[in-house]
Amino acid sequence: MHDGCTLFDDLPDDSVPRAAADQVVDPGLHRVATWFRRQQRLEQRFSAVLRQSIDEVLDGQRTGRFDIAEAEKTEKTYLGTKVEIVCRSEFDLFRGVSGMDYRIADEDVDAKFSLYGKWMIPREAMGHVCLLMQVNDAKATFDIGLVRIREEILSSGLNRDKKRQLSSSGRGGIEWLVQDGALIENTLLRMSQSMRALIFAESSGQQRVNALFRNVRGSLIDRNSVVTAARQIDSAKRVRDAREALAAQGIVILGHQKDCPRVASELGITVPPKGCWISVRLVATPNPDGRNRVFLEGRHYAVAEYWEPEEPAPKISC
Amino acid sequence: MHDGCTLFDDLPDDSVPRAAADQVVDPGLHRVATWFRRQQRLEQRFSAVLRQSIDEVLDGQRTGRFDIAEAEKTEKTYLGTKVEIVCRSEFDLFRGVSGMDYRIADEDVDAKFSLYGKWMIPREAMGHVCLLMQVNDAKATFDIGLVRIREEILSSGLNRDKKRQLSSSGRGGIEWLVQDGALIENTLLRMSQSMRALIFAESSGQQRVNALFRNVRGSLIDRNSVVTAARQIDSAKRVRDAREALAAQGIVILGHQKDCPRVASELGITVPPKGCWISVRLVATPNPDGRNRVFLEGRHYAVAEYWEPEEPAPKISC
């Protein structure tokens, strides 16, 4: 049996290779794909690039927005430029030599971002490799692929800027680097509408942050969600004040410092990385009952079940 | 004699008031102008809004760019949106009721920013007050004005988006809130080309930061200039390392903390606000010679003249 890499090696030059074969008959694209696949933590880094770009354009701290679908057209257009910049910075890429965005593995590569996978390809990209990026913030997924732009993979229609989309066979020929990747979650967008309503019914920034940590338990809440709820810059101060406000209900907010990682780890919940917090409600559990327990202020505590009565939270050094 | 406010009060309704009189026959625009003029530190706050917006779009930390004129078209378009957002946040403005950007003093007001004062007015703005903003980063100046959009103040030509510019008589009718305002300086853009060449000839971020503080003496250098030169986020660390690197040449870098404000003040130089630094070269001056002197490590120091030999800098708690 032939393997995929040699199957089409003997095609005559003028043949039109089938989409599935593009990757093997295009050594340039193959080199770019290999370069990316050799990067450490490729999926996580693209996830961070896309999350950071979307969050910067949403500018939640100033606007209170968390849904990029509701941004203005100029902002969505600019998001593509922001992604291009953040991606160049994350992977330390140089600019291409023929006006393309990047130079990777001796190939010019153009960055093409689209929120909805409808990449608009300009004439100048003809013959070049495109790094295709798309994201679905509501589903917390993203895709990264490579394709070389050729006449036969483009649709016939032009938009006002004389750009064209990939045809469906063109889409079939994309060499995927990440498919259905895990995007860092947008807490405020991903929560249920009723929970969001509870949070945004509060009139002050601090009260919205309190409601965020009161309602979203046991999963990571990042700095951007806090400043978006607060519409203020100082997330650390808002979290400290939320900690005090929620202590009477037994809710603790764990961060990445001091005693917090140990407490999270012994409770069996996610240990927050820098820039994230996690809130849980605790109850004292004098006797072992199968739950993970942590020893605090002379007593054992476990994560409360919803039916257990509220009691004041122990103090944790954070 | 009539004063300006009553001169045109008895004009018949169908007369076309002269541009200079618009402000007095337009009570709505007058209210908006009064609202802005009652804001504290109006010029400084608009200066900060514009500086912050330009710096965010330049994204110097990731791109190394400091000249907005060289940004891409999508970025320049987006800059208008960023200015609108930062301005809304700075002055705590609500959105307008008829799709305009702001509601100020019972008037709908649309924000219109232009780098070059060629504001593009959309059809929807007809009849509404526009907050006109323009900036010249190279000259470190900006202007803020108000105008009510009427058919007769617009030029006849439409651009591709069906927007029109102000005619020259329309420009003459602008009610200025700030004219030739002092924009917070863009250090890297405003320095001489030869000095910039010295800085950007260095190959590492730290070396560029060292060169920045070695060459730009006695004037404020802000955090954004440091991260742009460094192309790294941690400006505080870069400044600390620059301090060590330049101490042998007698150069000290003063910030806003600990002993720095006193030292700057006694030397008679600008005391840096938070987020800014100032570098000076010091020499020991055993005898009073008319210069401002500061007492450090048992000796008196003054800002060095260029002809005075270099000597190691005293240690300052920063």
Side-chain angles (χ1 to χ4, degrees), chain A residues 10-32:
Chain A
D10 52 355
L11 280 174
D13 278 350
D14 60 344
S15 75
V16 178
R18 283 186 296 120
D22 286 358
Q23 64 206 71
V24 299
V25 296
D26 188 335
L29 188 146
H30 185 70
R31 279 199 313 275
V32 176

Side-chain angles (χ1 to χ4, degrees), chain A residues 52 56-57 59 62-63 65 72 74-75 77-78 81-82 84-86 88-89 95 160-161, chain B residues 52 56-57 59 62-63 65 72 74-75 77-78 81-82 84-86 89 95 160-161 231:
Chain A
Q52 181 70 24
E56 287 190 22
V57 173
D59 200 353
R62 294 195 187 102
T63 66
R65 298 178 303 181
E72 287 180 29
T74 53
E75 294 177 291
T77 305
Y78 172 75
T81 307
K82 181 100 290 187
E84 177 211 319
I85 289 172
V86 179
R88 179 182 294 114
S89 170
R95 286 193 169 274
R160 205 175 64 164
D161 294 322
Chain B
Q52 181 70 24
E56 288 190 22
V57 173
D59 200 352
R62 294 195 186 101
T63 66
R65 297 179 303 182
E72 288 179 28
T74 54
E75 293 177 292
T77 306
Y78 172 76
T81 308
K82 180 100 289 186
E84 176 211 319
I85 290 172
V86 179
S89 169
R95 286 191 170 274
R160 203 175 66 165
D161 295 322
R231 295 188 65 166

Side-chain angles (χ1 to χ4, degrees), chain A residues 93-154:
Chain A
L93 301 172
F94 286 95
R95 286 193 169 274
V97 292
S98 51
M100 298 293 104
D101 295 321
Y102 310 134
R103 185 79 184 170
I104 301 170
D106 288 327
E107 276 285 322
D108 272 7
V109 177
D110 219 28
K112 285 287 156 240
F113 172 81
S114 162
L115 277 174
Y116 312 106
K118 292 184 175 171
W119 302 282
M120 301 311 297
I121 311 295
R123 267 226 69 76
E124 310 84 80
M126 191 59 71
H128 292 294
V129 174
C130 280
L131 176 68
L132 303 173
M133 300 177 267
Q134 69 180 357
V135 64
N136 188 325
D137 205 10
K139 290 189 181 162
T141 61
F142 71 96
D143 306 281
I144 308 287
L146 295 169
V147 76
R148 186 180 298 276
I149 304 303
R150 301 185 320 267
E151 186 58 40
E152 59 269 30
I153 68 163
L154 296 176

Side-chain angles (χ1 to χ4, degrees), chain B residues 88-108:
Chain B
R88 180 183 292 113
S89 169
E90 175 61 38
F91 293 103
D92 268 327
L93 301 172
F94 287 95
R95 286 191 170 274
V97 291
S98 52
M100 297 294 103
D101 294 322
Y102 311 134
R103 184 79 182 170
I104 301 171
D106 288 326
E107 276 286 325
D108 272 8

Side-chain angles (χ1 to χ4, degrees), chain B residues 288-309:
Chain B
D289 59 2
R291 285 185 280 188
N292 286 314
R293 298 196 303 170
V294 60
F295 196 68
L296 292 162
E297 296 187 321
R299 300 207 289 170
H300 286 95
Y301 285 87
V303 176
E305 301 288 346
Y306 74 94
W307 45 262
E308 291 180 293

Side-chain angles (χ1 to χ4, degrees), chain B residues 201-268:
Chain B
E202 301 288 346
S203 56
S204 84
Q206 183 62 54
Q207 285 171 326
R208 288 191 295 273
V209 172
N210 296 352
L212 177 64
F213 284 108
R214 191 188 306 117
N215 288 288
V216 181
R217 305 247 193 93
S219 61
L220 291 176
I221 297 177
D222 68 354
R223 182 189 165 280
N224 189 63
S225 300
V226 175
V227 298
T228 302
R231 295 188 65 166
Q232 291 165 28
I233 195 170
D234 191 351
S235 56
K237 168 84 172 126
R238 295 286 81 70
V239 173
R240 282 198 303 274
D241 289 359
R243 217 168 248 148
E244 280 188 27
L246 300 177
Q249 292 175 261
I251 295 169
V252 298
I253 304 175
L254 304 174
H256 76 287
Q257 289 180 306
K258 298 188 185 168
D259 208 18
C260 286
R262 173 185 80 90
V263 173
S265 165
E266 294 188 15
L267 288 171

